[in-house]
Amino acid sequence: MAKSSADDEELRRACEAAIEGTKQKIVMSIRVAKSRGIWGKSGRLGRNMAKPRVLALSVKSKGQETEAFLPVLKYSSGGVLEGFDNLRSQSVAPPQWTMRNIDDRNRLLLCILNICKDVLGCLPKVVGVDIVEMALWAKENTPSVTTQRNLQDGPVATTVPESGMKVTVEKELVSQVEEEDIEALLGTYVMGIGEAEAFSERLKRQLHALEAANVHAILESEPLVDEVLQGLEAATSCVDDMDDWLGMFNVKLRHMREDIESIESRNNKLEMQSVNNKSLIEELDKLLERLRVPSEYAACLTGGSFDEARMLQNVEACEWLTGALRGLQVPNLDPSYAKMRAVKDKRAELEKLKATFVRRASEFLRNYFASLVDFMIGDKSYFSQRGQLKRPDHADLRYKCRTYARLLQHLKSLDKSCLGPLRKAYCSSLNLLLRREAREFANELRASTKASRNPTVWLEASTGGSQSGNSADTSAVSDAYAKMLTIFIPLLVDESSFFAHFMCFEVPALAPPGGVANGSKSGSYDDDTNDDDLGIMDIDDNDSKAGKTSADLQSLNESLQDLLDGIQEDFYAVVDWAYKIDPLRCISMHGITERYLSGQKADAAGFVRLLLGALESKISMQFSRFVDEACHQIERNERNVRQMGVLSYIPRFATLATRMEQYIQGQSRDLVDQAYTKFVSVMFATLEKLAQTDPKYADIFLLENYAAFQNSLYDLANVVPPLAKFYHQASEAYEQACTRHISMIIYYQFERLFQFARKIEDLMFTISAEEIPFQLGLSKMDLRKMLKSSLSGVDKSITAMYKKLQKNLTSEVLLPSLWDKCKKEFLDKYDSFAQLVAKIYPTETIPSVSEMRDLLASM
């Protein structure tokens, strides 16, 4: 085989450089020429051969598969290969790319045919090339051709998995079946192509055999030689005829194979077209079914009635409409269908149906809610009347609303924005009903509760100190308040829960609805109507997502504020009424409210919790008002109490504290303890302020008041920790006042004695004890004079001290204890004086401490 440019490594590298950046790998590169001539029988190219080009067979890896390309490259002005654009003008005949010789042509065709065989599973249709001739050429020049297939499926290129394959050219060009057919066809003749060769070989062997047998003489005979030559000519003629016949049969067989392949291709296309048409018809039928609007649903959506009997049909129509709208949206609908005009028109039609139905249903429900509430408000039997407390009953209202629960859920699926006006309409209507029920119930509750009025200012002087024994029983007041909460708090919680589910709020389900009844049990407002299962939770369970809960909970509480707004005023009215009857009942009401508040959770009934918190604040404010007024009584009467301090208020405070402790029933003590702190702080501050106005009698004033405080609150202080703290505070202040007053009396009667002792104590810090008797005024003579003047009539001085202590006391009860404290204090001071004298004046004698103790004991 002649040397081919396909073996030129430099040409291959130049082609790889030309397509650099495309990630393609050159499999074969071969030079060609642009020509409009044809190949002659001699195997040489005809006229118009010019413009050398290069054909490059390349592959490109793509994952585990590759694509094959056959680009045409040309030489630039600098002799560098570069890409070549195809002819764009259709008016110019396309050029022909011609191989330089038969070998190049056959080599390129064999490579392409092998790749096509791998890709398509069969050989392509080749026109103008003798397959048998190519097979013989391949057998002589290329026994086996190895090509690497690395192709991949794609929108343009034909693909096969990447692998290496060795292809035998002869067997690939003529299949085994075709070869058998040819042999069967040639069997009718005397010899075939193979037999002609065998015949030639046989002739050669016979010739050698004749030569070996020395039969040359026979051959030299002319007749025999002529006969042999004639036989050879006849055989050669037969071989030529058979060769022509074989060429003709080869052409016919090729045409037959091409016809068969064409027929099979058309049959396959027809079969594929039939399958595609069937699938297309099925898809169109499904699409038409989606686009069809059932007449019964269209009637319901555009003009049907919303009566209870027709609700099933309305719900079914809603479900169909919701499904139809979803079915016309991607990904439920193939994206290729979504842009079809018919689909767009049908979607617009369904949107009009949805808007019409939502508008009609919303208008009906708004009017329906208003009519239900108007009917109940117009019927007085639903409300409390004179002499009869009526417990609100919303069972019938909820039953009628439940009829439209599924309709509301479908309205939410169709158009969530329509729920806002419906929620407001429902809240507005139900708010009127609840306020009317609460107002009528509160009015009748106050009218039917009989309780005597207790004083609103317990510490006022005009109320007297015996008010505790004659105080009327006002428990009915707190019972009435508890009844108000027992009736309405569970009702409001149930209404909040029903509203949350009925109006399709995506919030967690409430804990068992209802509140704490008298702080002892939890229960629903109405056990018979506790079933708030609206039958709507199974419509779209996927709508309840945790991410939406917080936003919907905020929206729910805003709606509940509209629903329950104003009803707190009736609760406030009951609180004000109870306060006017007995301010101390605020303690009981605060405890009741506190227990209800602790039983509520921050869920769908969150606004009920806010209502209870507002009630608790209202009660605390009223009780604080009572405490402030009582404290102001002490401050306003400061001039009147200047002589006695707060003695008149202390027993009243003790009585008040006893009553307040009776009203605490297992609740927190914060409210009462704060009141105690304010009461006692004001009394103690008033005492200190009054004591400063008369310093001479300040200590007597203080000790009498603090003693009275201890005596009045002794029992309560043993059981009430805050009062125990104030009791100890008063005790310390009492002891300090006693110490100051007794010291003043002792110094008044024995002033010279203890002044002499004080001088000695002062000098002991500067000089020694032995030098003190030699100081001016502190000699032994001075000591004797002082003792004579101070202790000569000591019994009289002690009697005068007792009388002085007794003179300024208003409470004789305190005198014995004060006198004992006075004697003890005097003995302690005299003992200190005697020790000083024994140390400074060891030779001097004074009355002993025991003598003084005996003297005090005898008096």
Side-chain angles (χ1 to χ4, degrees), residues 581-746:
I581 294 178
D582 186 358
L584 295 183
R585 282 297 165 185
C586 289
I587 300 174
S588 302
M589 293 189 294
H590 189 274
I592 295 170
T593 309
E594 189 178 65
R595 288 190 292 274
Y596 270 95
L597 189 58
S598 64
Q600 299 299 323
K601 297 181 179 179
D603 45 23
F607 190 74
V608 178
R609 184 179 178 85
L610 295 178
L611 172 62
L612 290 171
L615 276 175
E616 188 178 42
S617 300
K618 175 73 173 179
I619 295 170
S620 300
M621 182 183 66
Q622 290 288 51
F623 187 71
S624 297
R625 172 186 167 192
F626 162 73
V627 174
D628 291 340
E629 290 178 354
C631 293
H632 291 161
Q633 289 300 318
I634 300 175
E635 296 171 351
R636 284 198 299 266
N637 293 324
E638 180 179 324
R639 295 181 180 179
N640 298 331
V641 301
R642 182 165 297 175
Q643 298 299 325
M644 299 181 61
V646 293
L647 288 177
S648 61
Y649 292 101
I650 291 175
R652 298 172 196 162
F653 172 69
T655 302
L656 177 62
T658 303
R659 190 71 179 271
M660 290 167 66
E661 290 297 323
Q662 293 174 355
Y663 289 164
I664 299 177
Q665 301 174 356
Q667 68 191 72
S668 64
R669 298 188 53 87
D670 293 343
L671 187 67
V672 175
D673 291 347
Q674 291 172 7
Y676 287 157
T677 301
K678 192 161 188 177
F679 279 135
V680 177
S681 298
V682 170
M683 285 193 293
F684 286 180
T686 303
L687 279 177
E688 297 295 333
K689 185 177 180 181
L690 292 176
Q692 294 174 4
T693 60
D694 192 358
K696 182 178 180 180
Y697 300 100
D699 293 330
I700 297 177
F701 177 81
L702 291 175
L703 67 88
E704 286 185 340
N705 280 272
Y706 284 126
F709 184 87
Q710 293 179 77
N711 293 333
S712 299
L713 295 175
Y714 177 78
D715 294 332
L716 282 175
N718 287 327
V719 294
V720 180
L723 292 180
K725 181 185 72 172
F726 295 124
Y727 180 89
H728 292 303
Q729 183 179 343
S731 178
E732 293 176 0
Y734 171 77
E735 292 295 334
Q736 294 172 3
C738 286
T739 301
R740 291 193 301 269
H741 184 58
I742 291 172
S743 297
M744 183 270 296
I745 293 176
I746 292 174

Side-chain angles (χ1 to χ4, degrees), residues 742 746 801 805 818-826:
I742 291 172
I746 292 174
M801 187 170 59
L805 183 63
L818 285 176
W819 177 239
D820 290 338
K821 290 179 180 292
C822 185
K823 291 189 292 183
K824 183 178 181 302
E825 184 71 17
F826 175 75

Side-chain angles (χ1 to χ4, degrees), residues 356-476:
T356 301
F357 180 77
V358 169
R359 176 182 53 78
R360 292 177 57 251
S362 300
E363 183 178 358
F364 168 79
L365 289 175
R366 285 196 299 269
N367 297 333
Y368 183 73
F369 295 150
S371 64
L372 286 179
V373 173
D374 290 343
F375 173 77
M376 295 181 68
I377 292 178
D379 189 350
K380 294 183 178 181
S381 62
Y382 282 98
F383 307 101
S384 299
Q385 301 178 26
R386 182 177 297 275
Q388 179 185 6
L389 280 174
K390 177 68 174 180
R391 183 175 187 170
D393 184 6
H394 292 182
D396 186 58
L397 175 64
R398 294 181 190 175
Y399 174 78
K400 292 180 179 178
C401 288
R402 284 192 188 97
T403 304
Y404 298 94
R406 291 183 66 86
L407 178 61
L408 276 171
Q409 186 71 10
H410 285 293
L411 287 177
K412 174 189 173 183
S413 300
L414 291 172
D415 187 3
K416 193 174 183 178
S417 62
C418 74
L419 289 181
L422 287 177
R423 290 167 178 170
K424 289 185 178 180
Y426 182 85
C427 289
S428 177
S429 300
L430 191 59
N431 177 262
L432 294 176
L433 178 62
L434 288 173
R435 293 182 63 179
R436 174 72 179 277
E437 290 173 337
R439 183 170 61 254
E440 298 295 341
F441 189 90
N443 292 339
E444 181 56 30
L445 186 65
R446 296 196 298 269
S448 61
T449 302
K450 306 299 181 183
S452 300
R453 185 183 297 266
N454 271 342
T456 58
V457 183
W458 278 70
L459 300 185
E460 194 170 301
S462 61
T463 59
S466 60
Q467 57 189 350
S468 61
N470 298 326
S471 296
D473 182 15
T474 57
S475 59

Side-chain angles (χ1 to χ4, degrees), residues 243-408:
D243 187 41
D244 293 339
W245 276 100
L246 287 175
M248 182 180 64
F249 288 147
N250 183 51
V251 173
K252 291 183 177 181
L253 286 174
R254 185 174 69 250
H255 291 169
M256 291 175 62
R257 184 166 61 249
E258 292 173 355
D259 293 341
I260 292 172
E261 290 178 355
S262 176
I263 293 172
E264 289 180 351
S265 176
R266 288 196 296 269
N267 288 340
N268 291 336
K269 290 181 180 179
L270 289 174
E271 184 177 358
M272 181 62 68
Q273 185 177 5
S274 175
V275 173
N276 291 340
N277 289 338
K278 183 178 180 181
S279 300
L280 178 60
I281 292 174
E282 293 176 355
E283 287 295 323
L284 290 176
D285 289 340
K286 293 179 182 178
L287 182 60
L288 289 175
E289 182 63 25
R290 287 185 178 183
L291 300 180
R292 188 179 68 87
V293 179
S295 57
E296 62 275 14
Y297 293 155
C300 286
L301 294 172
T302 56
S305 171
F306 290 99
D307 294 339
E308 183 175 352
R310 296 276 300 171
M311 282 312 301
L312 180 60
Q313 290 85 341
N314 287 322
V315 168
E316 290 178 352
C318 282
E319 291 177 347
W320 174 86
L321 181 58
T322 302
L325 286 171
R326 290 179 179 175
L328 294 182
Q329 296 176 352
V330 178
N332 298 320
L333 182 67
D334 192 294
S336 59
Y337 294 158
K339 298 181 180 180
M340 293 176 62
R341 180 176 179 181
V343 174
K344 293 180 179 179
D345 293 343
K346 184 55 64 175
R347 188 183 297 117
E349 180 183 350
L350 293 179
E351 289 292 339
K352 290 181 180 180
L353 280 177
K354 181 186 76 172
T356 301
F357 180 77
V358 169
R359 176 182 53 78
R360 292 177 57 251
S362 300
E363 183 178 358
F364 168 79
L365 289 175
R366 285 196 299 269
N367 297 333
Y368 183 73
F369 295 150
S371 64
L372 286 179
V373 173
D374 290 343
F375 173 77
M376 295 181 68
I377 292 178
D379 189 350
K380 294 183 178 181
S381 62
Y382 282 98
F383 307 101
S384 299
Q385 301 178 26
R386 182 177 297 275
Q388 179 185 6
L389 280 174
K390 177 68 174 180
R391 183 175 187 170
D393 184 6
H394 292 182
D396 186 58
L397 175 64
R398 294 181 190 175
Y399 174 78
K400 292 180 179 178
C401 288
R402 284 192 188 97
T403 304
Y404 298 94
R406 291 183 66 86
L407 178 61
L408 276 171

